[in-house]
Amino acid sequence: MALYHFKRHRLSFDLRNPLEPVAVPCGFCLVPWDSALLEIHAKAKHASFEHEVDANVFNCFATRSGCRRLMQEIVTRENFVPEATWLLVPIRSDVIVPSAVPPREFIRSLQQQGVRLVQACGTIQGLAVNHLLGSVQNLGVAPGFRGQGLGQCLLQRALLGFRQRGMDRVILEVTCDNFGASRLYERLGWKFEETTYKCVEILDRY
Ligand SMILES: CC(C)(COP(=O)(O)OP(=O)(O)OC[C@H]1O[C@@H](n2cnc3c(N)ncnc32)[C@H](O)[C@@H]1OP(=O)(O)O)[C@@H](O)C(=O)NCCC(=O)NCCS
């Protein structure tokens, strides 16, 4: 075994700054957290992360069961923030997205219109560090759906959720080799706070 130190950046976003409106790209819908969605979040997370650099940093991302365990661990924590936890699902153009209804009802309405939530292509979760500080967990968009504003949409919706909970700042960590994600955060106004290192044991083949 060899030890490898992955360099990561902690970034922060000041929620007292104006937030960009959440623009959901045409043909997609944001679905609020409900416990019935755990497996679907795990599936979307696995599809988003399994071939990415973070699957080397956190081996739970490499398998569906690892993603399920991670989801379970997040949503059963006392500091879980459902308002910052969202699923992104493709929908037909004739689907009517309900507004101002509880998550169960929202989900039932989509299902009654034939939306297959299991086809979800993006996921994000939120935790609270304390009552003023939120933490973004595991933003992921499946490979075939990237580059059309879905990552930005999930992130902006999560930020709004943290703000609705009365928080004034949000942090996240990104692996430095993750250039696409780092560019996205920089473009959206996230600021560098500090460098951290995640120490991982890697099988040494030589
Ligand atoms: C990082 C990640 C979530 C980004 O998702 P995404 O849906 O591609 O993100 P967006 O489409 O919002 O933004 C990505 C790019 O698409 C471009 N884009 C945004 N809206 C667009 C649109 N309507 N049409 C075309 N391109 C668009 C953006 O300009 C952005 O370009 P950039 O790379 O120069 O910043 C995705 O790549 C992913 O899941 N990666 C693997 C998991 C991961 O590493 N997550 C981050 C953990 S910290």
Side-chain angles (χ1 to χ4, degrees):
M1 286 287 199
L3 276 186
Y4 191 87
H5 293 84
F6 285 95
K7 189 174 171 185
R8 288 168 58 81
H9 282 166
R10 180 166 302 153
L11 309 180
S12 73
F13 190 91
D14 188 339
L15 286 174
R16 290 165 303 188
N17 290 336
L19 273 186
E20 296 222 359
V22 181
V24 185
C26 212
F28 295 90
C29 163
L30 280 166
V31 182
W33 168 251
D34 182 89
S35 57
L37 300 178
L38 189 141
E39 187 60 36
I40 301 177
H41 272 273
K43 180 170 180 276
K45 195 191 297 289
H46 183 226
S48 304
F49 281 91
E50 66 174 324
H51 301 302
E52 305 297 336
V53 60
D54 278 354
N56 297 322
V57 186
F58 303 99
N59 59 18
C60 57
F61 286 138
T63 63
R64 175 83 168 262
S65 58
C67 288
R68 185 181 306 124
R69 271 198 312 279
L70 178 60
M71 266 315 286
Q72 254 152 4
E73 203 255 318
I74 291 172
V75 304
T76 52
R77 286 175 67 151
E78 260 182 20
N79 58 341
F80 174 56
V81 181
E83 296 90 338
T85 299
W86 292 85
L87 193 67
L88 199 61
V89 179
I91 54 169
R92 299 183 320 273
S93 57
D94 62 327
V95 169
I96 297 165
V97 179
S99 65
V101 295
R104 274 277 148 100
E105 222 174 290
F106 185 98
I107 290 166
R108 199 172 314 121
S109 165
L110 290 184
Q111 286 172 328
Q112 281 164 354
Q113 297 180 74
V115 174
R116 301 201 57 227
L117 297 172
V118 70
Q119 288 176 341
C121 57
T123 170
I124 192 166
Q125 299 94 53
L127 291 175
V129 179
N130 58 45
H131 71 288
L132 288 178
L133 180 63
S135 166
V136 165
Q137 307 285 305
N138 315 314
L139 166 65
V141 172
F145 293 88
R146 292 179 187 161
Q148 42 181 326
L150 299 177
Q152 171 170 346
C153 165
L154 278 162
L155 194 57
Q156 297 301 97
R157 189 61 193 85
L159 289 181
L160 193 59
F162 285 118
R163 184 190 265 176
Q164 284 163 348
R165 277 279 289 254
M167 294 172 173
D168 62 18
R169 209 162 64 88
V170 180
I171 54 170
L172 61 75
E173 279 197 11
V174 58
T175 306
C176 292
D177 294 341
N178 193 346
F179 303 111
S182 300
R183 243 193 345 261
L184 175 68
Y185 299 136
E186 195 185 338
R187 187 166 51 79
L188 295 179
W190 289 71
K191 302 287 179 234
F192 172 79
E193 288 229 322
E194 64 172 327
T195 300
T196 63
Y197 290 89
K198 171 84 169 86
C199 180
V200 180
E201 272 188 334
I202 291 186
L203 204 57
D204 192 354
R205 292 187 213 153
Y206 302 103

